[in-house]
Amino acid sequence: ARRRDIAVQFFVEALVLSIVGGLLGALAGTVAAYGLEGVFSWSTDVSPLSAAVAVGVAALLGVLSGVLPARSASRLDPIAALHHE
């Protein structure tokens, strides 16, 4: 496989995982907010914009933390990297 193919695979994997994680986190936060509203009689409002920003930040951080180490690892000699491990 070419270096570019591997980089694209890592990028797509990191993007999908971080978006799914961001969506699950936004869903859990929304459920928790409305659950606390019912228990403590608080007034809560979950803005779609804040949920979208949270998912976007999760996607950005997920891609950065997935792609940057993969990029540096792709530059290593495979035999030397496995020997060092």
Side-chain angles (χ1 to χ4, degrees), residues 6-7 14 35 44 47 51 58 61 63-64 67 78-79 85:
I6 294 170
T44 60
S47 155
L61 291 176
V63 167
L64 288 177
V67 170
I79 294 174
E85 188 179 297

Side-chain angles (χ1 to χ4, degrees), residues 6-20 62-63 66-67:
I6 294 170
V8 168
Q9 180 179 353
F10 271 100
F11 173 76
V12 170
E13 182 180 347
L15 184 64
V16 169
L17 287 174
S18 59
I19 287 176
V20 169
V63 167
V67 170

Side-chain angles (χ1 to χ4, degrees), residues 22-84:
L23 289 172
L24 289 174
L27 178 65
T30 302
V31 168
Y34 288 123
L36 289 173
E37 178 181 30
V39 171
F40 295 110
S41 299
W42 292 342
S43 175
T44 60
D45 184 33
V46 179
S47 155
L49 178 62
S50 64
V53 168
V55 172
V57 169
L60 177 66
L61 291 176
V63 167
L64 288 177
S65 64
V67 170
L68 293 178
R71 183 175 161 220
S72 64
S74 72
R75 294 183 173 151
L76 297 175
D77 176 38
I79 294 174
L82 289 173
H83 179 67
H84 179 67

